[in-house]
Amino acid sequence: MQTAMMAPGPIAPSDFYTGLVAELYRHLRSETFEAEPYARFVERSGEPALELGCGDGDPMLDLLSRGLVVEGLDSSADMLDRCRSAAAARGLDVVLHHATFEEMDLGERYRSIYLAGATFNLLPDDETAGAAMGRIAAHLHPDGSALIPLFVPPAPTEAEIGSVRERVTQDGAVMRVTVLEVVRDEVARDQTTELRYESIRGGDHHVVDRSWRLHWFEQDRFAAMVADAGLVTRSVRSANGGSASRDDTSFSFVVGPAPT
């Protein structure tokens, strides 16, 4: 058995999605993303497109397979390596960028920028999120749009502590993630979940403990952040695609440059 020490508190996504966690991500992720909504967004908003937080390639590779011009960006080098491998296995040419949202400087403008799922919630605080919005604004074509899904995580329940998500691969390997603890700060709008990742293959048992941090935004607060970045909010959509209500805890902002 090999065990990695628990990281001292929350770490950046670039360090979270590494090693064993990157390896197990596809097997243990709690959400998958269908290509269709993002393909429709890119078809409406235009190409080229940029997927922020592309990870190991979902749904970006499906959009590429449809002939859409989409590039990917992620802060985790390990996840980008897995994306390149997945693209090669499908015979797809892929353009990938290794950078954080708040520091990206790609020398390109995109007609479509989107995140698949609420990856923006992984940014640790308002300052970093504001910087990321500024970089999104700098990379948007004057006629372009950005799609940014967000959510307010529900308060943890006692039943969640100790809960396990497990998958067994075709070759019999057991992959598992366990919730050890959840700490929530309503004032700071932060929720940190202590997770234990395990891979059991034959006599090899690998364990990594990581802290997964979420930072959330109410709709009004995020709309102000959009405006501060010099962008305008074009719509706020609910999870089912309609107009979001004030009570929705999952919603997507569609934003773009201010008219000139």
Side-chain angles (χ1 to χ4, degrees):
M1 175 174 175
Q2 299 179 15
T3 303
M5 296 296 291
M6 180 179 287
I11 58 177
S14 56
D15 296 319
F16 184 93
Y17 293 100
T18 59
L20 184 66
V21 175
E23 177 186 342
L24 301 189
Y25 171 77
R26 177 169 293 273
H27 300 281
L28 295 175
R29 58 188 176 182
S30 58
E31 186 177 12
T32 58
F33 305 104
E34 297 295 330
E36 189 59 36
Y38 304 100
R40 288 199 304 267
F41 172 73
V42 172
E43 288 165 353
R44 287 195 304 266
S45 187
E47 302 167 69
L50 176 67
E51 181 176 312
L52 299 179
C54 65
D56 59 2
D58 286 338
M60 180 184 65
L61 298 184
D62 285 341
L63 271 63
L64 282 172
S65 70
R66 297 181 181 210
L68 296 172
V69 179
V70 186
E71 300 176 9
L73 179 144
D74 204 279
S75 63
S76 167
D78 285 6
M79 293 298 280
L80 290 176
D81 285 344
R82 300 184 72 82
C83 185
R84 289 188 189 95
S85 296
R90 296 175 62 170
L92 297 171
D93 293 325
V94 62
V95 177
L96 298 175
H97 306 278
H98 183 208
T100 64
F101 300 168
E102 68 272 18
E103 294 179 340
M104 62 177 175
D105 186 5
L106 309 184
E108 176 68 274
R109 287 184 180 268
Y110 301 87
R111 290 184 178 274
S112 300
I113 297 177
Y114 68 91
L115 297 89
T119 309
F120 202 89
N121 284 104
L122 296 177
L123 299 177
D125 50 47
D126 288 355
E127 181 179 1
T128 306
M133 288 305 304
R135 300 316 300 155
I136 289 173
H139 287 78
L140 263 181
H141 187 278
D143 296 327
S145 301
L147 172 65
I148 306 172
L150 299 162
F151 84 120
V152 178
T157 64
E158 289 187 11
E160 290 179 56
I161 310 305
S163 63
V164 177
R165 188 161 61 250
E166 182 175 288
R167 298 288 184 274
V168 179
T169 62
Q170 290 184 343
D171 63 357
V174 178
M175 300 183 176
R176 179 186 302 143
V177 61
T178 304
V179 176
L180 303 178
E181 183 183 14
V182 184
V183 177
R184 185 180 178 93
D185 186 332
E186 295 285 354
V187 175
R189 291 174 284 115
D190 284 332
Q191 184 164 295
T192 300
T193 304
E194 303 295 343
L195 297 169
R196 172 162 294 165
Y197 288 86
E198 298 175 82
S199 173
I200 305 169
R201 189 184 302 271
D204 293 328
H205 185 183
H206 298 276
V207 182
V208 171
D209 289 351
R210 295 273 168 89
S211 298
W212 189 57
R213 180 179 182 179
L214 294 171
H215 180 68
W216 68 85
F217 312 87
E218 303 89 354
Q219 292 181 38
D220 288 347
R221 190 184 300 270
F222 193 76
M225 190 174 294
V226 169
D228 287 344
L231 300 171
V232 295
T233 298
R234 294 177 175 164
S235 64
V236 184
R237 302 175 182 173
S238 66
N240 63 15
S243 295
S245 73
R246 307 305 303 172
D247 297 327
D248 284 333
T249 55
S250 293
F251 46 87
S252 296
F253 272 69
V254 178
V255 306
T260 57

